[in-house]
Amino acid sequence: MEALQWILSAGTNFFEGIQLSNDLHRLRATLPKARMLICRSEWGMFKDKQLAKLLSHLKDTTYDAEDLLRQLDDQVLRQRIEDADRSRAGQLLSCTLNLAKSYVCGSKGRIKETQENLDKVVAEIEGMLNLMGLMSVEPSQIMPETSSVISAPEVVGRDGERNALIEMLGVMIGREAQRDQVIKLLGVPLTGGSRRSAGSNGKRAATSSGVASTSRANKQLKGNSGRAGRADISKSNVSVIPIVGIGGVGKTTLAQYIYNDSRVKKHFGLMIWVCVSDFFDKRRITKEIIESIPGEEFNPSCSLDGLHVKLIERLKLCPKFLLVLDDIWPNANKDWEAFYAPLKHGPEGSMILVTTRSPVVATCVTTSNCEPFQLEGLPSDVFWDFFKKCAFGRNDPKSYPHLQDIGQSISSRLCGSPLAAKTLGRLLNMRLTEEHWRTIQKSELWELPHEENEILPALQLSYLYLPEEMNAW
């Protein structure tokens, strides 16, 4: 409405003003869809060169539209500020108004051209994404689904991180005898909870059983309280610790490693795993947590309020639990407090272990008595040994001395990421020739702008060099 008033005040006749205002409204309404298509296309651009070209065109056209609308908004704001201190006569004679007339007249063609270009490229990309199976009307999870089962053949170089996190969860490694002695001296009976099986009908929720132990024996990790942006646990029995690190560094594998540790299973009476992923569906996640806690049947299609009430009821009866929320993305931030609220009613000493690549998410979910756990890449010597296994496979690296220097050069760019090692290692293993390895070593993709400690160039290389028969989605 404000833009329409400004357009009409600039001397445009009523009908032209209405048409121009409608064109601007349509352009604004097209932008959310264009941005969504940009996000979807990022996943397929390395599989299809034509899609990559269209994506570049869509980005340029979207930015042009945003710039045009921003300029118009600036003009409206400028006019409003200047008019605030003018009489009506002064407003009519203002030089800004003359400039506004020129701007409106000049914008008509730009708005129409921008809308036509945007409509065209949006339709082309939408059609291509549909063919590739990357288009969906409803929001959906794009990232791979995970479970609590350790998928890696072996977990390399993470024993120290595992033990540190296990202690942060309140598990006393190697000090159980001392703990039991203290409990005995305090006169607290050494009672253990019965084993509880946590079955779940949810596809993404994985559970196992353990033995509950008294929560008074193990105090939670205490850090600096009252940190800005952290969850307040003043009325919560359940603490949250995030594992944060770049994509592919091994956060999920480390969480699986901890989840399946016998000491952890003995400490917690109930184990729950939920894959959150890039679409934070709080209803789905809450429902899977409820299904993982033994109890009577409930109506899974009830309202979110009904789910929260049911979750609180079950938490009052369940033993101390460990809940792993794997792979949380920044879109969860706005819903986190509402999602976490019923979980605060869990048994004292219960813990939530989160994995995320976002420091912002880590700050948002960490309770004030805990600290985020920053997971770095593997140490260089451990990583090189792992990379060699991936790149040479069953072949003896000593039989290829001419490839070792090239391999070390590539390895040094991978930030100690196990995912990057496996991805590029398999690519190198396709042809153990100097020509093939040099091609990958000297690829221009390594020079693309990227954040520090980011492995995106390595993953882009793996897509581009996949054989033709593996390029089908």
Side-chain angles (χ1 to χ4, degrees):
M1 181 59 69
E2 210 169 33
L4 175 59
Q5 290 173 348
W6 177 76
I7 291 169
L8 293 175
S9 72
T12 307
N13 71 55
F14 181 77
F15 293 106
E16 284 185 343
I18 291 292
Q19 181 60 50
L20 188 55
S21 177
N22 288 339
D23 290 345
L24 287 170
H25 178 75
R26 183 182 168 211
L27 187 59
R28 290 185 195 277
T30 308
L31 286 176
K33 185 175 184 179
R35 296 186 190 109
M36 181 271 289
L37 289 173
I38 288 173
C39 292
R40 296 282 170 90
S41 300
E42 296 283 1
W43 293 99
M45 61 179 289
F46 304 113
K47 292 285 189 177
D48 192 299
K49 293 180 180 179
Q50 182 60 29
L51 179 60
K53 290 179 181 178
L54 285 174
L55 175 60
S56 178
H57 186 199
L58 177 59
K59 286 181 177 180
D60 290 341
T61 309
T62 302
Y63 299 153
D64 287 344
E66 290 173 339
D67 289 343
L68 178 60
L69 292 171
R70 193 176 299 112
Q71 290 168 14
L72 176 62
D73 291 340
D74 289 345
Q75 288 287 345
V76 172
L77 181 60
R78 186 178 296 110
Q79 183 73 37
R80 188 174 60 186
I81 293 171
E82 291 189 5
D83 286 350
D85 297 323
R86 285 201 188 98
S87 65
R88 178 63 181 166
Q91 292 175 24
L92 292 173
L93 295 173
S94 74
C95 62
T96 304
L97 188 57
N98 293 327
L99 289 173
K101 291 178 182 179
S102 301
Y103 184 80
V104 169
C105 292
S107 297
K108 293 177 184 177
R110 284 185 63 195
I111 294 170
K112 183 179 180 182
E113 181 184 1
T114 302
Q115 184 70 61
E116 289 175 351
N117 290 339
L118 199 55
D119 286 343
K120 181 181 178 182
V121 70
V122 161
E124 290 177 344
I125 283 193
E126 198 168 15
M128 186 167 287
L129 290 178
N130 271 319
L131 290 174
M132 298 174 72
L134 290 177
M135 195 64 203
S136 174
V137 177
E138 297 297 328
S140 60
Q141 177 178 312
I142 297 176
M143 293 297 289
E145 190 176 310
T146 66
S147 78
S148 64
V149 178
I150 300 177
S151 53
E154 61 176 330
V155 181
V156 179
R158 292 302 191 196
D159 287 355
E161 289 89 342
R162 176 200 59 186
N163 291 339
L165 271 163
I166 285 177
E167 291 211 336
M168 290 172 71
L169 293 173
V171 181
M172 300 181 69
I173 299 178
R175 300 195 298 276
E176 291 82 357
Q178 295 94 317
R179 177 202 62 193
D180 292 347
Q181 183 64 28
V182 170
I183 292 174
K184 187 175 181 181
L185 290 173
L186 291 173
V188 179
L190 288 171
T191 57
S194 59
R195 289 186 176 270
R196 299 293 298 270
S197 173
S200 171
N201 296 324
K203 184 179 178 183
R204 295 174 181 82
T207 58
S208 63
S209 62
V211 178
S213 60
T214 177
S215 60
R216 296 184 182 180
N218 296 331
K219 299 296 182 182
Q220 299 305 310
L221 177 72
K222 294 189 177 181
N224 297 323
S225 60
R227 298 285 182 89
R230 298 250 181 117
D232 180 13
I233 62 153
S234 56
K235 296 181 180 179
S236 172
N237 294 328
V238 182
S239 300
V240 184
I241 301 174
I243 304 173
V244 60
I246 63 170
V249 79
K251 301 181 295 296
T252 296
T253 299
L254 179 58
Q256 291 170 334
Y257 201 22
I258 292 166
Y259 187 95
N260 288 281
D261 191 282
S262 59
R263 297 165 296 184
V264 174
K265 290 185 176 184
K266 184 178 180 180
H267 181 77
F268 294 100
L270 181 69
M271 307 283 286
I272 308 169
W273 180 288
V274 178
C275 174
V276 176
S277 200
D278 49 313
F279 177 45
F280 191 83
D281 184 348
K282 55 183 180 291
R283 282 183 56 86
R284 188 263 300 173
I285 301 167
T286 302
K287 182 167 70 75
E288 291 184 14
I289 294 172
I290 295 172
E291 290 172 341
S292 301
I293 305 172
E296 296 177 356
E297 290 292 324
F298 74 103
N299 179 14
S301 60
C302 64
S303 66
L304 182 61
D305 178 69
L307 291 174
H308 281 180
V309 171
K310 178 58 67 174
L311 177 56
I312 291 172
E313 288 176 357
R314 292 208 176 180
L315 288 173
K316 289 178 180 178
L317 301 175
C318 81
K320 181 169 59 178
F321 65 82
L322 171 65
L323 167 62
V324 176
L325 298 173
D326 187 41
D327 196 22
I328 296 186
W329 287 57
N331 58 15
N333 287 349
K334 60 184 175 61
D335 292 321
W336 174 258
E337 286 300 328
F339 165 76
Y340 174 60
L343 291 167
K344 294 179 181 180
H345 299 273
E348 183 181 354
S350 297
M351 300 292 291
I352 299 175
L353 186 63
V354 165
T355 70
T356 180
R357 64 184 65 188
S358 168
V360 176
V361 170
T363 301
C364 175
V365 305
T366 306
T367 44
S368 57
N369 64 332
C370 298
E371 294 286 339
F373 188 92
Q374 183 70 44
L375 185 62
E376 306 292 349
L378 292 171
S380 56
D381 55 339
V382 175
F383 185 71
W384 171 236
D385 288 340
F386 180 66
F387 183 79
K388 282 191 294 184
K389 291 180 181 177
C390 298
F392 291 99
R394 297 180 180 179
N395 300 288
D396 185 358
K398 294 178 181 178
S399 302
Y400 302 88
H402 57 296
L403 299 182
Q404 298 248 12
D405 290 341
I406 304 173
Q408 285 191 323
S409 171
I410 295 172
S411 169
S412 66
R413 304 178 186 183
L414 302 183
C415 310
S417 163
L419 175 62
K422 287 187 283 188
T423 305
L424 266 189
R426 289 166 185 162
L427 178 61
L428 293 167
N429 186 251
M430 289 178 179
R431 289 199 299 274
L432 298 180
T433 65
E434 185 171 349
E435 179 185 6
H436 177 58
W437 284 43
R438 290 279 186 204
T439 300
I440 294 172
Q441 180 193 26
K442 295 179 179 180
S443 171
E444 293 179 358
L445 279 176
W446 294 111
E447 307 304 323
L448 286 177
H450 59 282
E451 297 293 328
E452 185 180 0
N453 292 331
E454 190 177 66
I455 61 167
L456 186 58
L459 301 184
Q460 290 171 339
L461 272 166
S462 71
Y463 278 116
L464 289 178
Y465 283 93
L466 278 176
E468 200 65 37
E469 64 270 16
M470 295 179 68
N471 270 332
W473 283 81

